[in-house]
């Protein structure tokens, strides 16, 4: 989604950071870093009556993940909530799912994402003998941790898309590997469970006046 946003900067602000959270852009297959890798270009436009000093900064992957989580908590919906566990969903040109486990127990969550058409999925998808694409995942989330389960983004340029999703979670230590499919090596900052401090809890999602800071670009 493309949105305008009126930015209000506090008196003691050191500046504003614009973080792109678009996951439907693909790098050409002949890119030097390999297909789907390397830098991606985004355009940010600001209109103001006073001079702005703009500079490019490199941010850690955790910053992108945290910005995405805050966007989910502010604009998404809590579809399921039970005993300190909340499953958040954001449907913006696709689907993003975030599990928030504020309980004192491990939580095992299972996902079935089927009937995928014209979508990019941030975790490994499987293809059936007939070519149908799907994602079946199982993840173990520790107490007081959150996890972005997946990002499924519609292909750019306004293509039609579709998907079907099912979710289930239960408390317990789980069986087998903590993540299936395995998380990316050597580190998978976007999907790895992370500790929930005050910034990440749903009750502390910052309010953004007059609109939203981010979203998917179709």
């Amino acid at each position: 989604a493309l949105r305008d946003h009126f930015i209000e900067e506090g008196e003691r602000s050191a500046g504003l950071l614009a973080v792109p959270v678009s996951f439907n852009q693909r790098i050409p297959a002949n890119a030097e870093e390999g297909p789907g890798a390397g830098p991606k270009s985004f355009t940010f436009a600001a209109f103001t009556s006073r001079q702005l000093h703009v500079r490019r900064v490199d941010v850690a992957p955790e910053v992108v993940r945290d910005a995405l989580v805050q966007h989910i908590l502010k604009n998404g919906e809590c579809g399921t909530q039970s005993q300190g566990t909340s499953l958040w969903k954001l449907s913006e040109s696709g689907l993003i799912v975030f599990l928030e486990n504020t309980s004192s127990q491990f939580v095992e969550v299972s996902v079935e994402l089927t009937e995928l058409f014209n979508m990019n999925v941030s975790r490994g998808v499987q293809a059936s003998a007939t070519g149908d694409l799907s994602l079946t995942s199982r993840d173990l989330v520790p107490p007081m941790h959150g996890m972005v389960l997946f990002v499924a983004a519609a292909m750019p340029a306004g293509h039609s898309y579709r998907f079907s999703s099912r979710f289930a979670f239960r408390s317990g230590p789980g069986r087998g590997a903590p993540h299936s499919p395995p998380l990316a090596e050597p580190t998978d900052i976007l999907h790895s469970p992370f500790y929930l401090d005050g910034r990440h809890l749903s009750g502390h999602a910052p309010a953004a006046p007059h609109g939203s800071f981010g979203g998917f670009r179709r």
Side-chain angles (χ1 to χ4, degrees):
L2 294 177
R3 297 177 181 174
D4 291 334
H5 176 71
F6 293 93
I7 299 175
E8 297 180 0
E9 186 177 5
E11 294 181 358
R12 298 184 179 181
S13 172
L16 298 170
L17 178 65
V19 182
V21 289
S22 180
F23 293 87
N24 60 2
Q25 315 295 326
R26 282 185 172 176
I27 295 297
N30 59 358
E32 293 182 0
E33 296 85 354
K40 301 181 180 183
S41 298
F42 299 89
T43 299
F44 175 77
F47 304 91
T48 176
S49 60
R50 55 190 175 92
Q51 185 177 3
L52 287 179
H53 298 281
V54 181
R55 64 188 178 96
R56 175 179 174 178
V57 296
D58 294 325
V59 297
E62 291 85 353
V63 175
V64 178
R65 180 203 63 200
D66 289 353
L68 179 64
V69 169
Q70 292 302 324
H71 183 58
I72 296 170
L73 297 179
K74 180 182 183 298
N75 297 282
E77 296 181 353
C78 184
T80 308
Q81 192 171 24
S82 176
Q83 298 180 349
T85 302
S86 302
L87 191 68
W88 288 83
K89 304 175 186 178
L90 176 64
S91 300
E92 281 187 348
S93 299
L95 180 65
I96 315 174
V97 180
F98 170 65
L99 184 82
E100 181 185 56
N101 179 17
T102 60
S103 74
S104 59
Q105 302 182 51
F106 280 81
V107 171
E108 184 181 77
V109 55
S110 301
V111 174
E112 291 183 9
L113 193 62
T114 58
E115 301 179 23
L116 290 168
F117 178 72
N118 275 346
M119 302 196 74
N120 288 331
V121 183
S122 60
R123 296 181 68 180
V125 296
Q126 302 87 33
S128 67
T130 58
D132 295 327
L133 300 178
S134 64
L135 168 67
T136 301
S137 66
R138 182 188 57 78
D139 298 286
L140 192 63
V141 183
M144 287 303 299
H145 278 67
M147 180 179 177
V148 177
L149 300 180
F150 66 85
V151 178
M155 296 287 283
H159 293 291
S160 61
Y161 65 92
R162 68 173 182 267
F163 63 89
S164 178
S165 60
R166 294 180 59 186
F167 307 90
F169 62 82
R170 66 179 185 85
S171 299
R175 298 180 297 274
H179 303 288
S180 176
L183 302 184
E185 297 290 347
T187 56
D188 190 340
I189 299 300
L190 178 62
H191 300 109
S192 294
F194 60 92
Y195 181 72
L196 294 172
D197 56 21
R199 296 172 301 143
H200 301 109
L201 293 172
S202 56
H204 295 78
H210 310 301
S212 168
F213 281 106
F216 285 115
R217 183 183 183 124
R218 294 183 62 178

